[in-house]
Amino acid sequence: MTTESAALAKASTPRILVVGGGYVGMYTALQLQRKLRLDRGEAEVVVVEPQPYMTYQPFLPEAAAGSISPRHVVVPLRRVLDRCRIVVGEVRAIDHDKRVAEVVTPATEEEGGGATEIRYDQLVLAPGSVSRILPVPGLAEHGIGFKTVEEAIGLRNHVLEQLDIASSTRDADVREAALTFVFVGGGYAGVEALGELENMARYALRYYHNVRPEDMKWVLVEATGRILPEVGEQLGRYAVRELRGRNIDIRLDTRLESCEHRVAALSDGSRLPTRTVVWTAGVKPAPLLAATGLPLGARGRLAADATLRITGVPDAWTAGDAAAVPDLTADTPGTLCAPNAQHAVRQAKVLAGNIAHQLRGEPLTEYRHTYAGSVASLGLHEGVALLYGRRLTGYPAWLVHRVYHLSRMPTVNRKSKVLAEWILSGLFKREIVSLGSLEHPRAEFEQAAGADGDTDPPRR
């Protein structure tokens, strides 16, 4: 093939732009490179994601507790999507009429230019969600999120640092604030993070001679009357009893009203001196959606039909947290699929198949699912699970939780490494070292440079 004919062939190759490298983005691209003959020019897949990896969020609590290494909670996109083009950057705007997306990359500022334009023929819009931050005084300054691997490891370091502070002070007020940990939000993220970190901190205290487990105060604040609604009311009540049995303070029908000046003020009138407020009270669609001009549905999510096409928009698709997808299996008409990982992974498979069908002129498939159940960890060897209507608690539920999420972890490589770490963690003692300096790697160098500020600068 001549250079000219090769260029014409490449120009005629339909380009599929996948915005987002999370559950939907990564799994859709993975299915596309399996279903389409990318090496023969049937299509080109471009994935744009701010991070070069996908985070498997159900394992964040275990990463925070030290049961899994942070690098094994993430999946490198370039390794998994080896036949796709990966662009590390952020999509700032989309003009679907012109089939153009504006992307800002790490090199944009260095190059001194504007955003890069990426043209496409088919659009998969799956930027996911961001934390839903309410206007609580002091939250922006003192709150800690729990949505990324960086936040999970930062929280682990923070908790261990609080134990160090409590161990090294004689000030009762400082000690009380250091040993009080407030988690806001009784969903999966809040309950699992609290359960794992409380378990880790209680284990760590065996190495602190002057701090006892009963000195710690762990508080879960939930605005509704139940926690873990996904596992059902009965298992939710069991989880409350189990956590309270570990001396964890569960505050239902309670809201965080302020966390200024290292004091968490709750709607029940309580004022808790604390240096730790972890915010896991829900998510909202990524801000990009509002800047696309595409039709939005419930709660600011993209309106989609059952084939996962954006309603009324040709050549545009969506799924996961960003999409309001009708649940065809629900008893009540108009019910939407919940924005969770279980739906996201399944929708990605249907979405990729429908793009392949459309490119080949084949009929599309509607998304329908069979509800398998829900699982949640309450800490080491404790959990709740609802599988096909059967309820499990304690160790069996915790084991099902691990097996289920291990089976959903992408690639055999990651599965093997996570399993190996679980086996090793059962044979050896936990690591309880805080590496808070990882968050500020240049601090020591900058301090040394400041101390030597009176010396002549090095010649270049």
Side-chain angles (χ1 to χ4, degrees), residues 343-362:
H343 279 299
V345 174
R346 295 179 177 187
Q347 289 171 358
K349 185 175 182 180
V350 175
L351 194 160
N354 280 341
I355 292 178
H357 292 327
Q358 179 162 308
L359 293 178
R360 295 166 180 170
E362 300 168 351

Side-chain angles (χ1 to χ4, degrees), residues 131-431:
S131 296
R132 179 170 59 93
I133 308 299
L134 300 181
V136 176
L139 182 61
E141 295 79 13
H142 304 295
I144 302 172
F146 197 78
K147 191 169 174 58
T148 67
V149 67
E150 294 85 0
E151 288 175 329
I153 304 310
L155 180 57
R156 167 186 169 82
N157 292 332
H158 174 83
V159 169
L160 292 174
E161 286 171 359
Q162 301 315 300
L163 302 185
D164 291 333
I165 290 173
S167 177
S168 59
T169 183
R170 295 183 179 180
D171 188 311
D173 293 336
V174 173
R175 182 184 174 94
E176 180 184 8
L179 293 178
T180 301
F181 306 93
V182 178
F183 286 68
V184 183
Y188 280 127
V191 172
E192 292 190 344
L194 182 148
E196 291 285 353
L197 285 165
E198 187 274 340
N199 190 280
M200 178 205 72
R202 186 155 33 88
Y203 175 89
L205 287 186
R206 66 182 62 187
Y207 300 104
Y208 289 79
H209 68 281
N210 60 347
V211 183
R212 300 170 299 173
E214 53 267 30
D215 294 335
M216 296 189 297
K217 182 184 293 183
W218 295 79
V219 184
L220 178 64
V221 178
E222 169 54 41
T224 67
R226 57 191 291 194
I227 65 172
L228 296 175
E230 297 87 354
V231 300
E233 186 174 354
Q234 184 174 336
L235 289 178
R237 289 197 300 267
Y238 170 87
V240 170
R241 292 196 303 270
E242 170 63 26
L243 294 174
R244 284 176 173 167
R246 288 159 53 181
N247 203 31
I248 295 173
D249 187 358
I250 309 293
R251 306 285 184 99
L252 301 177
D253 297 310
T254 307
R255 300 180 306 278
L256 176 69
E257 294 190 337
S258 171
C259 57
E260 293 180 303
H261 311 299
R262 296 194 184 280
V263 175
L266 307 182
S267 60
D268 62 3
S270 302
R271 292 178 61 84
L272 306 173
T274 179
R275 297 169 59 91
T276 308
V277 175
V278 183
W279 182 265
T280 63
V283 296
K284 63 180 181 180
L288 168 65
L289 302 187
T292 62
L294 298 174
L296 300 181
R299 298 184 180 182
R301 294 188 285 168
L302 290 165
D305 61 26
T307 64
L308 304 176
R309 290 179 298 190
I310 297 177
T311 304
V313 182
D315 305 326
W317 312 78
T318 188
D321 290 356
V325 179
D327 188 347
L328 300 183
T329 64
D331 296 330
T332 305
T335 302
L336 300 177
C337 295
N340 57 35
Q342 187 175 147
H343 279 299
V345 174
R346 295 179 177 187
Q347 289 171 358
K349 185 175 182 180
V350 175
L351 194 160
N354 280 341
I355 292 178
H357 292 327
Q358 179 162 308
L359 293 178
R360 295 166 180 170
E362 300 168 351
L364 305 184
T365 303
E366 292 184 332
Y367 173 69
R368 297 175 182 270
H369 71 97
T370 301
Y371 178 70
S374 300
V375 294
S377 169
L378 303 179
L380 190 64
H381 300 161
E382 285 291 341
V384 291
L386 179 64
L387 293 178
Y388 299 105
R390 183 179 180 183
R391 299 181 183 89
L392 299 174
T393 60
Y395 184 85
W398 173 82
L399 187 61
V400 168
H401 172 272
R402 281 199 161 184
V403 171
Y404 173 80
H405 284 300
L406 184 66
S407 70
R408 295 297 184 269
M409 187 70 176
T411 78
V412 174
N413 178 289
R414 280 293 178 275
K415 286 183 173 69
S416 301
K417 289 182 177 179
V418 169
L419 181 60
E421 287 200 304
W422 281 343
I423 294 173
L424 292 175
S425 65
L427 298 176
F428 300 100
K429 295 181 179 180
R430 284 189 177 190
E431 296 292 342

Side-chain angles (χ1 to χ4, degrees), residues 61-129:
E62 292 206 44
S67 299
I68 303 176
S69 298
R71 66 185 184 278
H72 296 157
V73 178
V74 300
V75 181
L77 295 178
R78 297 186 192 279
R79 183 172 185 173
V80 176
L81 306 176
D82 56 331
R83 282 180 284 164
C84 301
R85 177 187 166 200
I86 307 299
V87 177
V88 176
E90 181 180 356
V91 174
R92 293 289 177 84
I94 293 175
D95 187 337
H96 191 65
D97 292 334
K98 296 180 179 179
R99 303 295 196 273
V100 172
E102 293 185 1
V103 181
V104 174
T105 69
T108 299
E109 184 176 347
E110 298 292 334
E111 294 172 347
T116 301
E117 288 191 348
I118 296 181
R119 298 188 175 275
Y120 61 86
D121 300 284
Q122 299 283 334
L123 173 67
V124 177
L125 195 51
S129 58

